[in-house]
Amino acid sequence: MITAIYPGTFDPITNGHSDIVARAACLFDNVIVAVAKSTSKTTAFTIDERVAMAREACAGLERVEVRSFDGLMTNFARERQAKVIVRGLRAVSDFENEFQMAGMNRHLNNEAETVFLMPAEHLSFISSSLVREVASYGGDVGNFVHESVKTALQERLAR
Ligand code: COA
C-alpha cells in the first residue's frame, strides 16, 4: 500500500490542484491532501475554510482524504506513513522552487520520495492568487474552481 501526500496552502483549492489529486489517486493507493496550517503566506481563508473547500472539491474522488497539518510537512508525512510527496509542476518557472523544496524535504525525511505531476494543459496557468484576484474584481472563476469555492470567493472577496 503506497500512501501519497499532496501538501499545499490551497487558498483556495483550484481545478488545477484537483486535477493533480485525481492523477495521484490513479497512481497510489491512498492520497492525503495536506492543507498547511502555518505557511509563509498570509491566507485569504482560514485553515478550516481551506480544508472544507478542499473536501468539497475532492468529494467525488475515492481513496482521497483531506487533512490539515501544522509544522513540518515531512513530519506529517512520516506520521501518516506516506512514502510519496506529490507536487504539481505547471511550468518551468515552478521548477526552481520545487527543486529546492524537494531537496530540503529529502534531507528532512529520506524515506519519502517527491514525485511531480503535470496538470492538464488547459489548467496550467491557474494559481490560487490569480483566481482570488479575478474573483475580487467580479470576474467569473467558474471554469477554474469547484462551485462551492466559487461561492466562497464571491462571498469573501467580491468588491
Ligand atoms: N493548479 C493550480 N495552482 C497550482 C498548482 C496546480 N496544479 N500547483 C501549484 N499551484 C499554485 C498554487 O495555487 C499557489 O499559487 P499562489 O502562490 O498564487 O497562491 C502556488 O502554485 C504554490 O502553491 P502550493 O502548491 O499550494 O504550494 P505552496 O507554496 O503554497 O505550499 C507548502 C508550500 C505548504 C507545501 C510548504 O510550504 C510546506 O510544506 N510547508 C510546511 C512547513 C514545511 O515543511 N516547510 C519546509 C518546506 S521545504
Side-chain angles (χ1 to χ4, degrees):
M1 293 286 277
I2 298 185
T3 297
I5 189 166
Y6 179 34
T9 308
F10 303 112
D11 186 38
I13 191 165
T14 68
N15 290 346
H17 292 123
S18 308
D19 183 85
I20 298 288
V21 178
R23 287 172 199 279
C26 291
L27 293 172
F28 307 110
D29 298 299
N30 297 301
V31 178
I32 302 169
V33 177
V35 186
K37 199 168 183 176
S38 327
T39 145
S40 49
K41 297 175 179 176
T42 304
T43 59
F45 293 96
T46 65
I47 181 64
D48 290 342
E49 290 167 333
R50 287 181 282 133
V51 166
M53 286 187 283
R55 288 211 171 114
E56 295 254 21
C58 297
L61 298 169
E62 285 179 29
R63 294 172 292 100
V64 172
E65 62 175 308
V66 178
R67 291 275 179 262
S68 64
F69 74 98
D70 206 0
L72 284 177
M73 187 276 295
T74 44
N75 287 349
F76 185 60
R78 196 177 282 115
E79 203 178 290
R80 297 302 309 264
Q81 299 183 328
K83 297 284 177 232
V84 173
I85 298 164
V86 171
R87 293 289 292 170
L89 269 188
R90 293 163 300 168
V92 179
S93 50
D94 282 342
F95 180 76
E96 202 169 332
N97 185 40
E98 293 299 333
F99 184 76
Q100 278 191 321
M101 203 152 44
M104 180 59 79
N105 284 334
R106 176 178 280 170
H107 180 79
L108 294 168
N109 178 353
N110 198 26
E111 290 152 22
E113 205 62 57
T114 299
V115 169
F116 296 103
L117 299 178
M118 289 187 300
E121 261 173 59
H122 70 283
L123 300 170
S124 61
F125 60 91
I126 304 175
S127 75
S128 299
S129 53
L130 267 187
V131 164
R132 288 199 308 270
E133 184 175 336
V134 171
S136 75
Y137 290 109
D140 184 5
V141 292
N143 286 332
F144 312 132
V145 294
H146 187 269
E147 190 61 33
S148 61
V149 176
K150 181 180 164 180
T151 307
L153 280 164
Q154 283 167 339
E155 286 171 0
R156 175 63 47 89
L157 299 174
R159 298 173 192 209

